[in-house]
Amino acid sequence: MCFAMQAQAVLKEKDINSSLAVLRHELTTYHREQQDRLHGAKIQSEQALNRLKEIMLRSAQNSLMLYSQKTDYVFDLTYACNEATEQYKEFQKQIAPFKEYVNRSSSDIARYDSLIDVLSKMPVRQLSPQAKCDRDVCLALAVNIRRMLIDNNEALKENMVWYNFTERQLKNLNDYANKRYQEIQVNIFRNGGTNYFKMLSEMNWRWLEARAAIAEKYTPTNMVKSQWDVKWIIGLFIALVVYTIISLAINFIGIRYLLTYLMKFKMFKGIQEGFLKKRTCIMLATSVVTLAIILGILRMTLEQNFVMMASNLLISYTWLLAVILISMLFRIDSTQIKNAYRIYSPLLLIGLIVIIFRIVLIPNEIVNVLFPPLLLICTLWQWSMTKHHKQQIPRFDRYLAYISLMVFIISLVCSWLGYTLFSVQLLIWWIMQMTCMLTLECVRDWLNDYRKRKKISEQPITEKWRFQLVYFVVMPILMVFSVLLSVYWAADVFNLGSLTWDVFKTPFIDTPHLKMSLFSISQVIVLFIIFNYLNHTFRALVKQYYRKIDPTTAESRSVMIINVLQVVIWGIWLLLALAILNVSNTWLVVISGGLSTGVGFAMKDILENIYYGISLMAGRIKVGDWIECDGTKGKVSSISYTSTQIEAIDGSVIAFTNSQLFTKNYKNLTKNHGYVLCMIPFGVAYGTNMKEVITLIEDTVNSLNHPAFEKDKKAKVVFTEFGDSSINFKLLCWVEAIKQVYTVSDVMETIYDTLNKHNIEIPFPQRDIHVITQSEDKDTPKLPKTD
């Protein structure tokens, strides 16, 4: 590529003559390209003007639609606002490359001004004749290219005037649409409307108002042709009924007869019974999918604004319904699935009613009159279904049924208090959220079955990390984002999707030192899930590595590395979280400086223990070592940054702070080789042959071949002292620290038996008591006799 492609610039050559020759070649090529580009630019300019005309006409159409909307017609108003804002965003994307091209053209003109200045002032006396010719040609080409660039730039500036004019118009329209969006938002979430109890007392007047709105909105007109005439609405719903019947008929024939006939073959015998029990539900789910496909084809073939808008909503609802039904088919047993369908029916029906309201762009007066009683009926229906069928459905669906009932009750209260549009938003959000939850639960059940079937839990981390990545990372992340997506989809029913996305990204805490939005919080949570998975995976990898080397010391050798990895992983997560939340470094320094003194004194002991803990984990003690501290002997079971836990030989579990181990001079009994020197005292009577005793005991003990003895070191008897009743010896032997108590007992028993066997006296302390009888003295008074 380096040798084949042109450099498109002059680099440092051998001398000025070579540089001019290369520059002449480059300018000649660029001049030819610029001529072709200038010819194409005229065509592009005409196309750009035509696009601008179309944009201006569409802008005028959106302006007429937006400025003519009544405040009470919320669905109409949100549709008009959405068209205006989407056109402005689309125009901004289209104009960005054009502005960049204009700026680049101005930069090229300035560059060629400098090149012409250099060429015109270049001393020509020192140049060769060929170089002079190259210099003149380069100057002529540069001047000609600069002239073409200026002409092109002037044409671009003329187009830019129209672009700027169109942008101002679209911006004004976008600002007005956003202002109306805010009014809709306030009406939905703050102001509300008249409560339904008051409306019941004014029902006659409200009914007349609703009838007037219906007559105004849905009376057919023959004066003008409109794509939003009631004829199109009636035609759409007739077509929807026909397509629904066609979908049901296709799937009824295909499943009821063809698929049922295939199930009679032996190869399908294992699933035949389950299929027959779920056959009705399968027909319903496949009919919904078929209807969604038909509506998609209708959407692609018709270029009619009302049909396109209605088809988009119906396609979204049918796919949503299909996902719910299919997830239940996979998750729920054949004996429970019909009960599950009954549980979810009220919510799906109310969702369909809302979609129909949105399609027909129903006025607020009709929504306020019709929706609260419809919601009351569906709430009672949901309560009845939950009460009678809650025990015949899985536990997860039971929880969703309770939540659905609670959402129904909250929405009912809101609608009867006058917040009808808010109740609609709440219901649509929960339908979307429930769909996501059912889908994820279906996937989770399949993953659990796969884990049991493949015995994933018994596999090493090097083989199961992919499964854990999906189960512990992808699934929770999808659950986090499903909350945001559900809110977005619910708002998009009112064409408030773009506004909702802006709300997600707008910080609700906006200070110079901290910026926190819903989207940033979700990012921090997602990063926490990812780093938690990394933490567990790396811990498992480290343990697996050391188990391969030495299973007996794997736990102890991996502690230090695991702790360091945890500090690194969670430290990176903390830094990323602080960066996402735009936490100011200056703020952190000020806060840490102010708290450093108090926290330093308060954390003195903690920091000391952490320091000693790191020192211990560096190799002084490892899990499994036997230590002795403050008269307590036991095995180290865990080492943390603040304390060390041991299992004492009496079965108790004792925790020492790490500073205690150092201040009390602990003993590591298994640090070097696992053996300790035992000194067992014994004594024999005076007059016994010491050499005979020493030889006898040493030979006997060494001949035991006790498994707890160190093989390379023999037992040794040494003479220690002349005692009060005996001459005393000590038997020195190296035994395993873990078995010290039992080994010492065996050795002492051997010493006693050996001495007894050879009639060697083992003295014990004795004391002679001399009783002196004193003669009776006459002067000594006698004690009185007592009865």
Side-chain angles (χ1 to χ4, degrees):
M1 292 290 290
C2 292
F3 287 107
M5 292 182 64
Q6 297 178 359
Q8 299 295 334
V10 177
L11 301 178
K12 186 175 182 180
E13 303 291 341
K14 181 178 67 174
D15 51 23
I16 187 63
N17 297 330
S18 300
S19 297
L20 286 171
V22 173
L23 179 62
R24 176 179 178 177
H25 172 71
E26 298 296 340
L27 289 178
T28 303
T29 304
Y30 186 72
H31 182 267
R32 190 182 307 113
E33 293 175 355
Q34 190 66 20
Q35 285 180 328
D36 297 337
R37 192 177 301 157
L38 188 62
H39 176 71
K42 294 180 180 179
I43 300 175
Q44 292 177 358
S45 178
E46 293 178 359
Q47 294 175 350
L49 287 176
N50 292 330
R51 284 198 301 270
L52 278 177
K53 292 177 181 178
E54 294 176 0
I55 292 172
M56 293 175 67
L57 291 174
R58 183 183 168 194
S59 172
Q61 184 181 7
N62 289 333
S63 300
L64 294 175
M65 178 174 60
L66 180 59
Y67 294 141
S68 63
Q69 295 300 324
K70 296 181 180 180
T71 307
D72 293 338
Y73 290 10
V74 174
F75 292 108
D76 301 62
L77 183 58
T78 54
Y79 176 79
C81 291
N82 180 70
E83 289 294 316
T85 54
E86 289 299 320
Q87 185 184 11
Y88 179 69
K89 291 178 181 179
E90 182 182 352
F91 180 78
Q92 288 294 102
K93 292 179 182 179
Q94 292 177 354
I95 199 175
F98 182 75
K99 288 183 177 180
E100 182 181 355
Y101 181 72
V102 172
N103 294 331
R104 188 167 63 248
S105 177
S106 301
S107 176
D108 288 342
I109 292 173
R111 182 163 57 87
Y112 275 94
D113 285 339
S114 301
L115 182 61
I116 292 170
D117 183 64
V118 171
L119 290 172
S120 60
K121 295 179 180 179
M122 181 180 294
V124 296
R125 293 182 180 180
Q126 291 80 11
L127 299 179
S128 64
Q130 181 62 38
K132 291 180 181 178
C133 179
D134 291 337
R135 176 256 183 191
D136 295 337
V137 172
C138 288
L139 182 59
L141 289 172
V143 171
N144 199 7
I145 291 173
R146 178 181 177 276
R147 180 182 55 78
M148 288 190 291
L149 288 173
I150 292 175
D151 294 340
N152 187 34
N153 199 38
E154 292 296 327
L156 291 175
K157 287 182 178 179
E158 291 181 5
N159 291 341
M160 200 65 196
V161 172
W162 289 103
Y163 269 105
N164 292 333
F165 174 76
T166 306
E167 184 180 17
R168 284 194 299 270
Q169 276 194 323
L170 292 176
K171 186 178 184 304
N172 293 333
L173 188 61
N174 180 73
D175 293 340
Y176 179 77
N178 287 327
K179 182 180 178 182
R180 302 300 296 270
Y181 266 142
Q182 292 175 359
E183 293 175 0
I184 296 170
Q185 190 177 4
V186 169
N187 290 331
I188 292 175
F189 297 106
R190 295 182 185 177
N191 297 341
T194 307
N195 67 74
Y196 202 72
F197 299 100
K198 185 177 181 180
M199 289 179 62
L200 288 174
S201 63
E202 304 171 349
M203 184 53 66
N204 292 332
W205 176 74
R206 294 287 179 178
W207 181 247
L208 292 175
E209 187 180 32
R211 288 181 60 184
I214 293 173
E216 180 184 358
K217 181 76 176 178
Y218 302 113
T219 301
T221 176
N222 297 319
M223 301 297 293
V224 293
K225 292 183 179 181
S226 173
Q227 293 186 346
W228 300 85
D229 193 73
V230 69
K231 297 176 182 177
W232 283 100
I233 298 176
I234 297 172
L236 176 69
F237 282 103
I238 293 174
L240 182 62
V241 172
V242 173
Y243 294 146
T244 303
I245 295 172
I246 293 173
S247 302
L248 290 171
I250 293 173
N251 289 276
F252 180 81
I253 296 171
I255 296 175
R256 178 75 179 182
Y257 296 104
L258 297 180
L259 199 56
T260 304
Y261 175 76
L262 292 176
M263 286 294 164
K264 295 180 181 180
F265 290 97
K266 292 183 179 180
M267 59 184 300
F268 299 110
K269 190 174 182 180
I271 60 173
Q272 181 180 6
E273 183 179 357
F275 167 77
L276 292 176
K277 290 182 179 180
K278 290 186 176 182
R279 184 170 58 183
T280 303
C281 301
I282 294 173
M283 284 191 293
L284 182 59
T286 53
S287 298
V288 172
V289 174
T290 306
L291 179 61
I293 295 173
I294 294 174
L295 291 174
I297 296 173
L298 180 67
R299 167 67 178 82
M300 290 186 293
T301 54
L302 288 179
E303 292 292 337
Q304 206 271 357
N305 290 324
F306 171 75
V307 175
M308 291 167 59
M309 181 272 294
S311 298
N312 288 333
L313 291 171
L314 289 172
I315 290 170
S316 300
Y317 178 78
T318 50
W319 280 117
L320 179 146
L321 182 59
V323 168
I324 295 175
L325 298 178
I326 293 172
S327 66
M328 287 192 290
L329 282 174
F330 283 107
R331 287 190 311 106
I332 302 176
D333 187 73
S334 57
T335 59
Q336 298 177 326
I337 191 166
K338 291 184 179 180
N339 296 317
Y341 276 27
R342 295 187 183 100
I343 286 288
Y344 293 113
S345 296
L347 195 62
L348 297 177
L349 177 62
I350 201 70
L352 179 61
I353 292 173
V354 172
I355 294 297
I356 292 174
F357 283 178
R358 175 65 182 84
I359 290 174
V360 300
L361 302 175
I362 192 168
N364 287 10
E365 293 87 350
I366 305 174
V367 175
N368 294 333
V369 171
L370 293 181
F371 193 72
L374 290 174
L375 190 55
L376 176 61
I377 295 172
C378 290
T379 303
L380 295 175
W381 186 15
Q382 180 71 38
W383 172 78
S384 177
M385 293 295 102
T386 304
K387 179 181 178 182
H388 292 94
H389 302 287
K390 62 183 180 182
Q391 300 300 331
Q392 290 81 34
I393 57 176
R395 183 173 59 179
F396 179 77
D397 297 271
R398 194 182 311 143
Y399 291 153
L400 291 183
Y402 287 135
I403 298 174
S404 299
L405 180 59
M406 184 175 63
V407 171
F408 264 116
I409 294 173
I410 295 173
S411 300
L412 179 65
V413 172
C414 292
S415 65
W416 281 68
L417 291 178
Y419 293 89
T420 307
L421 295 178
F422 174 73
S423 66
V424 172
Q425 284 282 88
L426 184 61
L427 286 168
I428 292 298
W429 164 77
W430 173 239
I431 293 174
M432 303 293 184
Q433 184 65 60
M434 187 185 68
T435 304
C436 295
M437 295 173 67
L438 287 171
T439 305
L440 294 177
E441 180 65 15
C442 180
V443 177
R444 193 181 71 87
D445 287 347
W446 180 84
L447 290 174
N448 286 330
D449 292 339
Y450 179 82
R451 178 168 58 181
K452 294 177 182 178
R453 189 170 61 255
K454 298 293 184 179
K455 298 180 179 180
I456 298 294
S457 57
E458 300 176 5
Q459 296 178 2
I461 187 63
T462 51
E463 296 181 7
K464 65 181 180 181
W465 67 270
R466 298 178 188 86
F467 177 85
Q468 291 186 342
L469 177 66
V470 175
Y471 194 87
F472 294 109
V473 178
V474 176
M475 294 293 290
I477 288 176
L478 290 176
M479 191 63 202
V480 171
F481 282 114
S482 71
V483 178
L484 299 180
L485 288 175
S486 300
V487 175
Y488 176 83
W489 288 335
D492 201 43
V493 173
F494 290 91
N495 293 112
L496 297 173
S498 300
L499 182 63
T500 304
W501 185 247
D502 293 336
V503 171
F504 288 159
K505 295 189 295 183
T506 302
F508 57 85
I509 297 178
D510 191 2
T511 65
H513 307 296
L514 177 66
K515 298 182 185 296
M516 189 178 296
S517 64
L518 294 175
F519 188 69
S520 64
I521 292 174
S522 64
Q523 286 179 304
V524 172
I525 295 174
V526 167
L527 286 176
F528 175 83
I529 295 170
I530 294 173
F531 279 85
N532 187 51
Y533 165 77
L534 293 176
N535 178 38
H536 285 86
T537 303
F538 283 126
R539 287 177 60 184
L541 285 172
V542 171
K543 289 183 179 179
Q544 180 179 327
Y545 172 76
Y546 281 109
R547 285 195 189 103
K548 288 183 178 179
I549 298 176
D550 186 3
T552 59
T553 61
E555 293 293 333
S556 58
R557 297 175 67 182
S558 62
V559 169
M560 182 62 185
I561 297 178
I562 287 175
N563 288 326
V564 171
L565 284 174
Q566 285 181 328
V567 171
V568 173
I569 289 172
W570 292 118
I572 295 174
W573 172 80
L574 180 61
L575 293 176
L576 291 175
L578 294 177
I580 291 172
L581 298 177
N582 292 313
V583 178
S584 172
N585 295 333
T586 306
W587 192 37
L588 290 177
V589 171
V590 171
I591 293 177
S592 60
L595 296 177
S596 59
T597 304
V599 173
F601 283 110
M603 296 185 64
K604 174 181 175 296
D605 294 335
I606 297 176
L607 295 175
E608 186 180 35
N609 284 316
I610 291 175
Y611 170 75
Y612 287 131
I614 295 174
S615 179
L616 289 173
M617 287 184 286
R620 297 195 178 194
I621 292 179
K622 61 181 183 293
V623 175
D625 283 353
W626 282 78
I627 67 171
E628 183 177 354
C629 180
D630 200 19
T632 302
K633 185 184 298 183
K635 182 176 69 173
V636 178
S637 59
S638 67
I639 305 173
S640 67
Y641 286 106
T642 56
S643 64
T644 299
Q645 186 170 286
I646 68 171
E647 297 176 2
I649 57 176
D650 60 359
S652 61
V653 178
I654 303 173
F656 290 96
T657 59
N658 293 327
S659 59
Q660 280 182 309
L661 293 180
F662 279 85
T663 56
K664 294 183 178 180
N665 296 324
Y666 70 94
K667 295 180 182 179
N668 192 334
L669 305 178
T670 54
K671 172 67 175 176
N672 292 329
H673 40 63
Y675 292 90
V676 294
L677 178 63
C678 293
M679 292 183 281
I680 304 172
F682 66 95
V684 296
Y686 279 97
T688 307
N689 189 340
M690 289 192 299
K691 291 185 178 180
E692 181 184 357
V693 171
I694 292 173
T695 303
L696 183 63
I697 297 300
E698 285 181 352
D699 292 343
T700 305
V701 173
N702 288 326
S703 64
L704 284 176
N705 292 324
H706 199 286
F709 284 170
E710 187 174 5
K711 305 301 181 183
D712 298 334
K713 296 180 180 180
K714 300 294 184 180
K716 180 72 175 176
V717 177
V718 296
F719 174 67
T720 56
E721 65 175 347
F722 295 100
D724 293 337
S725 306
S726 62
I727 53 177
N728 298 326
F729 301 87
K730 283 186 179 180
L731 175 66
L732 308 180
C733 58
W734 291 86
V735 301
E736 290 185 27
I738 301 175
K739 303 177 181 178
Q740 180 181 0
V741 175
Y742 305 104
T743 307
V744 169
S745 174
D746 294 341
V747 172
M748 292 177 68
E749 183 180 349
T750 301
I751 293 172
Y752 180 79
D753 293 340
T754 302
L755 294 176
N756 278 339
K757 181 179 179 181
H758 292 83
N759 296 319
I760 297 175
E761 182 182 357
I762 302 175
F764 54 88
Q766 300 180 16
R767 180 170 295 179
D768 293 333
I769 300 176
H770 300 277
V771 180
I772 301 175
T773 303
Q774 186 177 2
S775 61
E776 185 175 343
D777 192 356
K778 295 181 181 180
D779 297 332
T780 301
K782 295 181 178 180
L783 295 173
K785 294 181 179 180
T786 58
D787 296 334

